[in-house]
Amino acid sequence: MRQLIDHTRSFRSRCDGVGRDLRDLAGGQRPSAMFITCSDSRVVPTLLTGAEPGELFELRTAGNIVPAYDPADATGEMATIEYAVSVLEVSDIILCGHSHCGAVGALARREDLRALPAVRGWLDRSVPTGGDFHDLDDFGPDVARPVQRHVVAQLEKLRGYPCVSRAAGEGRLGLHAWYYEVHTGAVQTHHVSTGTFSSL
């Protein structure tokens, strides 16, 4: 914690030292993209993309899960996505899963989550039973194939948001599924035409 505090205290002077004027941010935000990813501490969207403050609108959830759109039972995730598309008018949404994901690994391995009732509830509510991984039984500790399938499934749920569907249909919004390897730093992107992932 001490290191975090020290860096926080010096943040302002460090910004001044590289010529970054944070006062420009007071006029509002105009991020070009939304980045939806896992809460995992090994995934750092701004480090990965090189984005500066104000350039990336982030949403982080356990397992980079996008809940199905239901305004009658709204969640913070739904509101954040709707705001990004309808108010901020981001031009792209990147949904990024990662290797060694604990949430997807638990689903793929059908782990007993009774000791984590909130986690189990979140996964049960947001992901089909078994995570639709029943035919994947040869994945390694990086759970690459389950994570990639999971990312595509979450992107499809995202298409079910009326604002996303409308903006994408009008050509104002691009949707991207990425897979990040935490142990190599490599990023792969999903190709809809082939259903495969390859280097970005």
Side-chain angles (χ1 to χ4, degrees):
M1 189 64 187
R2 172 50 52 190
Q3 183 179 11
L4 296 178
I5 292 172
D6 289 343
H7 276 83
T8 302
R9 285 177 174 160
S10 67
F11 177 66
R12 182 176 178 181
S13 61
R14 285 185 284 121
C15 288
D16 291 342
V18 296
R20 183 180 302 140
D21 192 348
L22 297 180
R23 289 173 297 185
D24 293 340
L25 300 176
Q29 59 173 324
R30 291 296 298 166
S32 60
M34 179 179 202
F35 200 101
I36 302 174
T37 193
C38 186
S39 302
D40 194 297
S41 62
R42 297 168 293 180
V43 183
V44 186
T46 53
L47 183 64
L48 185 63
T49 62
E52 296 288 334
E55 294 181 342
L56 205 59
F57 197 66
E58 293 184 34
L59 172 61
R60 302 182 70 131
T61 70
N64 52 266
I65 289 171
V66 173
Y69 187 77
D70 180 4
D73 189 20
T75 66
E77 295 81 16
M78 288 179 220
T80 301
I81 293 165
E82 195 169 69
Y83 186 82
V85 176
S86 300
V87 178
L88 298 178
E89 297 181 335
V90 295
S91 60
D92 293 276
I93 298 179
I94 300 159
L95 205 154
C96 183
H98 67 93
S99 67
H100 304 86
C101 181
V104 174
L107 289 168
R109 291 186 285 267
R110 296 176 175 82
E111 293 178 4
D112 183 355
L113 297 175
R114 283 178 292 183
L116 301 168
V119 172
R120 183 177 64 177
W122 171 246
L123 296 178
D124 287 348
R125 173 183 177 185
S126 304
V127 180
T129 301
D132 194 27
F133 306 128
H134 58 278
D135 61 329
L136 299 179
D137 56 5
D138 60 345
F139 52 85
D142 61 359
V143 289
R145 290 177 62 213
V147 168
Q148 290 173 357
R149 181 177 290 184
H150 176 72
V151 168
V152 173
Q154 299 312 301
L155 196 67
E156 285 307 306
K157 281 201 288 183
L158 189 61
R159 293 181 196 277
Y161 282 56
C163 59
V164 172
S165 177
R166 183 167 51 253
E170 294 172 355
R172 297 184 289 109
L173 180 66
L175 301 175
H176 315 273
W178 286 5
Y179 169 70
Y180 170 59
E181 289 185 340
V182 299
H183 55 297
T184 68
V187 177
Q188 297 178 10
T189 187
H190 179 254
H191 302 280
V192 177
S193 59
T194 63
T196 59
F197 282 79
S198 65
S199 297
L200 191 62

